[in-house]
Amino acid sequence: MSGPTVPTATDAEPAAGWAPTPALGRAVLLAGLLLVAGVLLGRVDLIVLAAPFALGTAYALRRRPTALPQVWITQGDGGPLVEGGDVAAAVSVGNPDTVDYDLVVMRTRVSPWLRIDRAGFARDEAVEDGESSATAETGATAQGNGRRRSVADRPFVTSVPIDAAVDLELAGKALRWGRHPVGPAGARVATAGGLLVSRAVITEPVRVRVYPRTEPFEAVEAMPRAAGLVGAHHSRRPGEGGELAGVRVFAPGDRLRRIDWRVSLRARQLHVAATLSDRDAEVVVLLDVLAEAGRSGGVDGAASVLDTTVRATAAIAEHYLHRGDRVSLLEYGPAARRLRPAAGRRQYLTVLEWLLDVRVHVSAHEPYDQVFGPQLLSSDALVVVLTPLLDERSAQMLARLARGGRFVVAVDTLPTDLASPKDRGWAEVAYRLWRLDREIMIGQLREHGVPVVRWAGAGSLDQVLRDVARLATAPRVGGR
């Protein structure tokens, strides 16, 4: 990786970005005072005392730096990173100058969702949390405000020779999905025996992609409508499938291997076994990003609404894409981000990448119907809506989809352990009233034909999918 542009300076002028340290000022001042005092007072001993300071300073400054250090951040090549996986990164400092860097002080910032447990230079032993080392800041506490302090919060000290680079290796654990920054990182260099110091060189952060961990999810094969050409779901249309639809009289075009000889001999006329075609289905996963509730505790802690939404979306998409179905994603919010329907492993990787940018968008305006509406959804698609049902607009959206003839399943993502407010007064009463109002809203959605089920991993949608598939095959009343 190429570093920053290297500034140059002439030998007669100080290099850009370098400044004298207080040690240089003290050495020059002391040598000057001793020389002046020795000359004025006629004392040779004072001149002898000034000679080491003057000669030492001149010797240290005989070769002056002309280039600033180079700083960059690299991410480990461990493949796709999932929640709970091991994260590895390195902050490197390079010396493009013609003089050694006697002292390099490095420091970097790391996202709180990347817990760095080990940090150290490649040639040194890694520094673990709670240990003391010459490369780490002494006296740094590992606890702060009830939360463990990351090892990367400490400054690290080393030296870098000419035309070399030193890597500060960081290793830890990814606690939550998303794009988490490592950096910005900075370094300051002292050279010429500590008489010159560079300005701080800062590099831009590197975003580490952490994909959501998919929970084990399985669902029944029941789908409201299978409208594709080929797939794993049994449709209501006759075709070359594996599901027996009945026995009928032989017709031109029927294959001989479909002849049912027992029925043909009994009826004295050729009959064939009719089958239903196997077709794929389209699944639209709609993410409600209008509100957030709960506090995220990472992969091993409590899950917020957004955590449940993203992880459930990844699990549902993985299940149906593995079966060969087409899956598309859609956000219900001001941005109305959309991922086109597709199938295959490539679509699954695209889904994971798309989920990294899911954010809550609090807005008082209704999402535009021309950007998001029933006309954008296929009439044969199964629409799975992941929503905490904290906003009335979400319930209205579900009711509109149901009235538009879409097959809708609402998945409740509100945490079950959502704590009630502890404030005094009417806070607890208001919380109970809000709970009752939410239960009434869920009951009204079910009256509109929208099943509401709580997300519980594998088997969450089994009974609901059976009910939706049964309603899809029921005869229509009144020509509807």
Side-chain angles (χ1 to χ4, degrees), residues 239 308 310 341 397 466-467:
T308 303
V310 170
M397 175 266 297
R466 291 190 185 99
D467 295 340

Side-chain angles (χ1 to χ4, degrees), residues 413-479:
T413 58
L414 189 70
T416 56
D417 56 351
L418 191 63
S420 60
K422 301 299 182 181
D423 300 337
R424 297 179 179 178
W426 297 94
E428 186 174 354
V429 177
Y431 176 78
R432 293 168 59 187
L433 290 175
W434 169 77
R435 278 286 188 182
L436 291 174
D437 182 67
R438 187 172 180 273
E439 292 297 330
I440 293 174
M441 181 172 59
I442 292 176
Q444 292 175 345
L445 286 174
R446 287 171 177 164
E447 291 178 357
H448 279 78
V450 180
V452 181
V453 61
R454 183 170 294 278
W455 175 256
S460 300
L461 308 181
D462 284 356
Q463 186 59 42
V464 174
L465 291 178
R466 291 190 185 99
D467 295 340
V468 172
R470 188 164 49 250
L471 291 175
T473 57
R476 299 186 179 184
V477 181

Side-chain angles (χ1 to χ4, degrees), residues 132-448:
S132 60
S133 171
T135 60
E137 179 184 15
T138 58
T141 58
Q143 300 289 336
N145 298 328
R147 190 172 184 177
R148 188 171 71 173
R149 183 178 178 181
S150 174
V151 178
D153 291 339
R154 306 168 180 174
F156 290 84
V157 179
T158 186
S159 60
V160 182
I162 301 173
D163 293 332
V166 174
D167 299 331
L168 174 62
E169 297 180 348
L170 307 175
K173 181 179 180 181
L175 300 180
R176 190 172 184 258
W177 57 272
R179 303 180 190 272
H180 304 303
V182 175
R188 296 194 70 180
V189 173
T191 187
L195 300 181
L196 296 177
V197 63
S198 71
R199 63 172 175 84
V201 178
I202 309 296
T203 185
E204 294 295 327
V206 172
R207 300 280 176 175
V208 177
R209 294 178 295 180
V210 181
Y211 297 119
R213 185 173 65 179
T214 56
E215 303 175 359
F217 176 75
E218 293 291 339
V220 296
E221 295 185 7
M223 295 292 289
R225 288 177 185 169
L229 297 178
V230 293
H233 299 287
H234 304 308
S235 72
R236 294 177 296 171
R237 300 179 181 180
E240 296 295 330
E243 186 73 11
L244 184 63
V247 180
R248 59 177 176 81
V249 178
F250 181 87
D254 290 335
R255 297 187 178 183
L256 296 179
R257 62 185 181 88
R258 293 289 186 182
I259 296 177
D260 191 328
W261 294 105
R262 292 183 179 181
V263 178
S264 300
L265 291 175
R266 188 168 53 249
R268 297 182 179 278
Q269 187 179 7
L270 286 180
H271 284 70
V272 294
T275 57
L276 298 177
S277 61
D278 294 335
R279 296 170 178 257
D280 66 346
E282 180 179 346
V283 180
V284 179
V285 184
L286 197 155
L287 289 72
D288 183 1
V289 294
L290 292 180
E292 169 72 311
R295 179 174 296 180
S296 177
V299 66
D300 298 324
S304 65
V305 167
L306 203 59
D307 288 341
T308 303
T309 300
V310 170
R311 292 166 185 164
T313 301
I316 294 173
E318 182 183 26
H319 170 74
Y320 285 108
L321 288 173
H322 181 71
R323 297 183 59 85
D325 297 325
R326 301 185 309 277
V327 175
S328 63
L329 304 182
L330 182 62
E331 279 188 359
Y332 182 68
R337 291 196 311 134
R338 183 181 180 90
L339 178 64
R340 63 176 182 81
R345 177 168 177 78
R346 184 175 183 179
Q347 177 71 355
Y348 176 63
L349 298 177
T350 307
V351 165
L352 294 180
E353 193 74 21
W354 190 89
L355 289 175
L356 297 182
D357 297 321
V358 173
R359 299 289 183 272
V360 174
H361 300 280
V362 180
S363 175
H365 302 286
E366 181 75 18
Y368 297 106
D369 290 337
Q370 58 268 28
V371 176
F372 171 82
Q375 68 276 5
L376 296 179
L377 305 178
S378 172
S379 59
D380 295 326
L382 171 65
V383 183
V384 181
V385 183
L386 299 167
T387 173
L389 292 174
L390 295 175
D391 198 308
E392 186 178 352
R393 293 172 293 177
S394 302
Q396 295 174 355
M397 175 266 297
L398 289 169
R400 287 197 302 268
L401 290 176
R403 288 196 301 266
R406 300 302 187 272
F407 303 102
V408 185
V409 175
V411 179
D412 187 3
T413 58
L414 189 70
T416 56
D417 56 351
L418 191 63
S420 60
K422 301 299 182 181
D423 300 337
R424 297 179 179 178
W426 297 94
E428 186 174 354
V429 177
Y431 176 78
R432 293 168 59 187
L433 290 175
W434 169 77
R435 278 286 188 182
L436 291 174
D437 182 67
R438 187 172 180 273
E439 292 297 330
I440 293 174
M441 181 172 59
I442 292 176
Q444 292 175 345
L445 286 174
R446 287 171 177 164
E447 291 178 357
H448 279 78

